[in-house]
Amino acid sequence: MKGLTTLILLCFSTISYAAEQAEEIFKQLAPSLYQIRLIDTASGEKSSIGSGFQISSDGLIATNYHVISGYARHPNKYTIEIFDHLGKKAPLTLQSVDVINDLALVKRTTDGEMPFFKIAQHVPRKGEELYSLGNPHDLGMIVVPGTYNGLKKESFNDRIHFTGSVNSGMSGGPVVNKNSEVVGINVATSGNQIGFLVPHDKLLNLYERYKASEPENIKAQMAQQLEDNQDKLISTLLNSEWQMRPLGEGLIPVVNIPFIRCWGESNADKADAIVLAVVANCSLDENTYISNNFFTGSIEMEYRYMQAKELSDTKFYQIFERQLVQVMPGNKAGKDDVSEFQCQHDIVTPSNHAITNKSVFCTRAYKDFPELFDVLYVAISVDKGNQALLSHFTIAGVSQHSALSFTEKFMESISWK
Amino acid sequence: MEIIIEEITRAHKLIARHKFMQNNVNIGRGYNNDIIMADPHICAQHLSLNFNGENWVLNDEDTVNGSFYEDEFSKTKSTVHQHIVHSGQVFILGKSLVRVIFPDHPVPESISFSPFENILNLTRHPVFLTLSILFFASITGWLFNLHNPVEATFTQLLVPAVGMTLLFIMWPAGVALVSHLTKHEARFWGQLGICFVFFNLMWVSDFIENVVSFNSSSQSMLGQFVALLPIVLAFCLFWLNCHIGFHMTSKRRTVIATCMTILLFGGSFLIQLSKKPEFSIRPAFNTTLMAPSYLFTGSNNVQGFVDNSKALFSDAQEAAQEEK
């Protein structure tokens, strides 16, 4: 009984201590913490909200790119402003962005030196208690305690796995350690106490680059970042091991890297199915946000093996033809963002002569980022009477060279057993 | 003295022809006339034609609505009063028209039998016609089965096959009806025979188009040439419809067939154009797939395909800049 009483008292004192510490941190950091508002100039009302924090004494504020993306894409339609802890507003100017890591630097005018957040020099240890700050759903600034769980494993661009509530409106808010140093920036949530943060070193890099040279054109800066990131992704894919795996009577390539995850499905259990269908798809679980209806940076591969049970060859290929019509791009983009697809097709046999495909290649160009394209490839084998293999991939926001290099390797990798 | 009087329509189509061996002919609504007209705008005693030993003279009998003749040169109507008639002249009585012709009036040259006649006669032969319609119905049923996700039974195929065949019979029936209404011979069986030959040729053309489309790459122009095949077939069908069903000059027949072809394909094109969205996120490409036994062309290699794809990037960039 004595032991139990001691344990209860210990727990209570720990909770009480954590709450006191969170309160202390909040009081200390509140003057450098802001709500960022995107204001629609025509209506004068806020269009979206997020959080931000000051990282220099001269008024430089860090937030998420997606909080101010409307202004970055349409500077004539929106303005950005901050709302501080005293309820005062001030206009902001966009200084620099890191679209890949969803970061942006905005600046306010200052009368003198102002308090600011310090960025940590060290990575937190696993299990370390952290405090997420932000303004969820426009309800006012709050502090949310949580723990550091290392970097997300299946992520091409690093994201911290934070066990704590990160809600809408807290995007761009800082996550600090007990020393009030920024170790991450709120960026996304999967619900149920699973939050994701941009690691502090990404912000540090952006800040250092900004200090070294301020970007002249935000769109050009974004274009370069998107191109560099996708070239890095494609070269990582091309230089990784492509394992050949069976899919029905076909052989398909599976790239052996953690951030490309594969799933499979079949109708092998359906005895009355007229066609046996086995499907495998592999994709990158992340994409890059450009604006509300425009995402890029995705890559997905799909393979489909089909075998006719009691169908004539003509009817079997007629069924397969319908699958070709259903092909869609892998990312969301509208007519303001991209051109329509340009396509070409041919009958193609790879150098191993192991398969003959009807292959289709399509591409569309980005309007604001001239060297970037979405590409789509789909091929269906046309050399076996009652079985066929569909191979398909889409890559979003890729350079011509990277797209064609990937296409070549992909096409050469598909074969029959 | 002999004289021929024709009752004609406003489009100068023949309604009735009368030949008289007398020197005086009366026309009117009264029952004592030589030609009794039914038009209520014509008077009982309307017009008289008298041969004076040298000419036929036409005289209006002071009628309510008068009588006129069409002046070929000035294209105007002139009142008839003691008018000397020339062979071929057309007179207007009330709302009716009559043409006066003398026995020595020249007739156009005889039209020789067209080389198509033998083919046309063959297509309307009952055996040929039955086989032709059966072939059409079979292809329709087979295509229905091909597009059906599961194998269909014979009974299931029968309804769409018969339904589609009946639907296609509407065209020759329609043409024959128009022929009949325009005072031509209907020749329904002839229209039916030739139509089903061409409907079957359309299936063949579809098949050829599919095979060419499946075998050719984007770089090939063959597909575009083959796409002209159904247009040529449609023109030929319309031309033959006119040939069978209507008496007209070759030039007029060609113009009508051309107009109908333009109407059919131009209309289809305009409908497709009107349905095309302003912007499509879905890629549009050649989706034709056929069984390997229809693959006759050689294959490209991967490098060749990738090289061909390079041009698309500059095309897409240009499109993006144009649409911006």
Side-chain angles (χ1 to χ4, degrees):
Chain A
M1 186 62 194
K2 195 175 171 184
L4 186 64
T5 312
T6 313
L7 190 65
I8 290 168
L9 282 172
L10 191 66
C11 285
F12 183 74
S13 65
T14 307
I15 294 166
S16 169
Y17 175 70
E20 278 173 22
Q21 197 165 30
E23 195 180 334
E24 183 59 33
I25 286 171
F26 186 73
K27 269 186 194 169
Q28 183 190 336
L29 301 176
S32 310
L33 199 57
Y34 306 104
Q35 184 185 54
I36 310 277
R37 290 177 173 184
L38 191 69
I39 307 294
D40 177 66
T41 43
S43 64
E45 293 296 331
K46 56 182 180 282
S47 171
S48 66
I49 54 165
S51 302
F53 56 101
Q54 198 154 327
I55 56 169
S56 73
S57 60
D58 61 348
L60 204 61
I61 294 165
T63 185
N64 281 146
Y65 162 78
H66 76 254
V67 172
I68 53 85
S69 64
Y71 179 80
R73 298 268 292 154
H74 309 287
N76 297 325
K77 190 183 176 201
Y78 299 104
T79 56
I80 25 179
E81 64 181 32
I82 50 164
F83 198 71
D84 68 14
H85 69 299
L86 299 172
K88 288 180 184 169
K89 291 178 188 173
L92 293 171
T93 53
L94 180 60
Q95 299 297 308
S96 185
V97 298
D98 178 352
V99 71
I100 304 301
N101 290 300
D102 202 352
L103 291 173
L105 297 178
V106 288
K107 197 170 186 179
R108 64 174 292 183
T109 50
T110 55
D111 296 333
E113 291 214 340
M114 293 186 71
F116 61 92
F117 279 80
K118 282 182 184 164
I119 300 172
Q121 296 299 317
H122 304 287
V123 177
R125 62 178 196 285
K126 209 157 185 173
E128 184 176 329
E129 192 156 16
L130 304 176
Y131 303 91
S132 171
L133 299 150
N135 188 340
H137 303 289
D138 204 16
L139 296 171
M141 282 294 171
I142 61 160
V143 56
V144 179
T147 48
Y148 176 83
N149 280 293
L151 295 175
K152 189 180 164 197
K153 279 179 191 167
E154 298 89 11
S155 185
F156 179 64
N157 291 301
D158 293 343
R159 291 289 181 269
I160 292 170
H161 177 189
F162 172 72
T163 308
S165 292
V166 176
N167 288 302
S168 179
M170 291 175 77
S171 292
V175 178
V176 297
N177 57 21
K178 285 175 186 170
N179 301 323
S180 306
E181 294 169 333
V182 177
V183 294
I185 299 96
N186 298 324
V187 72
T189 179
S190 285
N192 295 327
Q193 299 282 316
I194 299 172
F196 296 106
L197 318 175
V198 180
H200 69 280
D201 59 318
K202 308 293 180 195
L203 176 61
L204 213 51
N205 284 345
L206 177 65
Y207 184 38
E208 292 300 331
R209 283 201 307 270
Y210 170 74
K211 281 199 291 189
S213 161
E214 290 183 26
E216 288 177 10
N217 183 313
I218 295 294
K219 273 186 185 168
Q221 186 191 25
M222 286 168 67
Q224 193 59 51
Q225 289 168 356
L226 291 168
E227 195 176 336
D228 290 349
N229 182 63
Q230 206 65 337
D231 284 350
K232 190 175 119 194
L233 172 67
I234 299 297
S235 62
T236 308
L237 287 173
L238 293 176
N239 295 325
S240 301
E241 185 192 359
W242 288 38
Q243 287 179 347
M244 298 308 292
R245 290 196 190 158
L247 186 82
E249 292 299 312
L251 283 175
I252 58 160
V254 173
V255 190
N256 194 18
I257 33 180
F259 56 83
I260 298 286
R261 300 172 79 190
C262 296
W263 306 90
E265 188 56 83
S266 81
N267 67 348
D269 58 323
K270 301 259 169 57
D272 58 341
I274 55 169
V275 173
L276 166 72
V278 186
V279 182
N281 55 61
C282 301
S283 61
L284 182 68
D285 271 354
E286 61 195 90
N287 51 27
T288 306
Y289 177 96
I290 305 283
S291 64
N292 271 348
N293 293 307
F294 187 18
F295 290 79
T296 185
S298 61
I299 177 163
E300 58 181 31
M301 291 162 267
E302 184 181 315
Y303 311 98
R304 196 173 283 252
Y305 169 76
M306 290 176 85
Q307 186 181 29
K309 289 176 179 173
E310 290 170 0
L311 284 179
S312 67
D313 294 358
T314 306
K315 185 157 184 174
F316 175 61
Y317 277 89
Q318 181 67 33
I319 290 172
F320 228 138
E321 185 175 301
R322 275 179 233 141
Q323 308 223 345
L324 263 184
V325 184
Q326 294 166 4
V327 169
M328 289 284 281
N331 61 318
K332 240 164 87 172
K335 71 170 185 152
D336 295 334
D337 312 310
V338 290
S339 68
E340 287 194 330
F341 275 106
Q342 309 283 322
C343 299
Q344 69 116 354
H345 68 273
D346 206 349
I347 303 291
V348 184
T349 302
S351 51
N352 58 13
H353 298 284
I355 196 166
T356 299
N357 285 319
K358 171 158 183 165
S359 302
V360 180
F361 182 89
C362 300
T363 185
R364 62 184 182 187
Y366 285 16
K367 290 184 177 174
D368 281 344
F369 313 115
E371 296 304 318
L372 291 175
F373 304 86
D374 288 341
V375 294
L376 179 153
Y377 169 84
V378 60
I380 289 189
S381 66
V382 286
D383 52 354
K384 298 210 178 209
N386 65 342
Q387 50 185 333
L389 184 65
L390 179 146
S391 47
H392 161 59
F393 73 78
T394 63
I395 312 177
V398 69
S399 68
Q400 177 180 338
H401 177 259
S402 292
L404 292 177
S405 304
F406 185 88
T407 306
E408 193 174 340
K409 185 160 183 176
F410 186 88
M411 288 178 77
E412 291 285 7
S413 305
I414 307 290
S415 71
W416 291 112
K417 276 182 189 170
Chain B
M1 188 64 189
E2 281 185 323
I3 189 166
I4 297 113
I5 300 174
E6 292 177 343
E7 292 176 57
I8 57 173
T9 65
R10 287 182 189 197
H12 291 201
K13 297 277 178 198
L14 185 69
I15 301 169
R17 185 176 279 150
H18 312 273
K19 190 171 184 178
F20 297 98
M21 302 292 288
Q22 60 214 51
N23 288 342
N24 180 275
V25 178
N26 294 314
I27 303 172
R29 211 150 41 82
Y31 297 109
N32 58 343
N33 286 291
D34 297 305
I35 296 174
I36 306 160
M37 307 291 281
D39 182 356
H41 304 94
I42 294 175
C43 291
Q45 307 301 320
H46 198 99
L47 201 70
S48 66
L49 271 156
N50 298 299
F51 187 67
N52 62 9
E54 197 175 338
N55 295 307
W56 281 93
V57 180
L58 194 140
N59 198 33
D60 182 78
E61 305 286 351
D62 291 331
T63 56
V64 176
N65 295 312
S67 304
F68 306 91
Y69 73 90
E70 284 183 352
D71 193 318
E72 278 182 44
F73 301 103
S74 63
K75 302 285 178 196
T76 54
K77 291 196 296 185
S78 309
T79 314
V80 173
H81 185 68
Q82 295 295 321
H83 176 79
I84 296 173
V85 179
H86 302 287
S87 183
Q89 264 187 330
V90 174
F91 298 93
I92 302 163
L93 295 72
K95 286 191 173 179
S96 303
L97 273 76
V98 294
R99 179 162 48 204
V100 179
I101 295 167
F102 301 155
D104 58 350
H105 192 87
V107 290
E109 281 187 25
S110 307
I111 300 169
S112 60
F113 276 127
S114 155
F116 295 115
E117 286 301 323
N118 289 335
I119 300 169
L120 297 180
N121 285 337
L122 177 68
T123 61
R124 63 191 283 267
H125 190 277
V127 176
F128 188 93
L129 187 58
T130 310
L131 287 175
S132 191
I133 292 176
L134 276 177
F135 180 74
F136 179 86
S138 310
I139 295 284
T140 310
W142 182 75
L143 285 174
F144 177 79
N145 183 39
L146 199 63
H147 291 97
N148 205 26
V150 291
E151 290 286 359
T153 62
F154 178 74
T155 327
Q156 286 172 320
L157 297 180
L158 207 58
V159 175
V162 172
M164 191 62 86
T165 308
L166 287 175
L167 189 72
F168 272 73
I169 287 176
M170 302 287 279
W171 174 252
V175 177
L177 180 67
V178 174
S179 294
H180 176 72
L181 293 175
T182 52
K183 307 294 175 191
H184 292 95
E185 196 185 347
R187 297 185 72 184
F188 170 70
W189 297 108
Q191 293 286 9
L192 191 68
I194 204 68
C195 280
F196 271 87
V197 166
F198 272 84
F199 294 158
N200 288 326
L201 284 175
M202 291 279 190
W203 287 138
V204 176
S205 129
D206 259 11
F207 175 74
I208 294 171
E209 243 187 296
N210 272 330
V211 171
V212 169
S213 170
F214 178 51
N215 280 274
S216 57
S217 71
S218 307
Q219 278 68 42
S220 168
M221 297 294 285
L222 195 59
Q224 288 165 26
F225 284 118
V226 175
L228 294 174
L229 206 56
I231 300 175
V232 173
L233 285 174
F235 172 81
C236 293
L237 173 62
F238 295 140
W239 195 92
L240 284 166
N241 283 151
C242 294
H243 178 83
I244 297 167
F246 307 91
H247 297 303
M248 57 177 74
T249 61
S250 180
K251 188 181 169 188
R252 189 179 169 88
R253 195 180 299 134
T254 307
V255 169
I256 290 175
T258 307
C259 289
M260 291 184 77
T261 310
I262 291 170
L263 193 70
L264 179 68
F265 287 90
S268 312
F269 176 72
L270 283 177
I271 290 168
Q272 281 177 11
L273 204 65
S274 66
K275 284 183 181 171
K276 196 182 171 200
E278 190 191 354
F279 176 81
S280 174
I281 56 162
R282 195 184 281 272
F285 53 84
N286 176 319
T287 56
T288 313
L289 264 189
M290 295 182 88
S293 48
Y294 299 108
L295 185 65
F296 307 116
T297 185
S299 299
N300 196 353
N301 56 31
V302 170
Q303 192 54 55
F305 181 79
V306 168
D307 287 344
N308 290 338
S309 301
K310 284 177 185 167
L312 297 177
F313 289 89
S314 49
D315 291 348
Q317 272 178 330
E318 277 173 29
Q321 291 315 308
E322 278 171 20
E323 291 165 16
K324 202 169 173 179

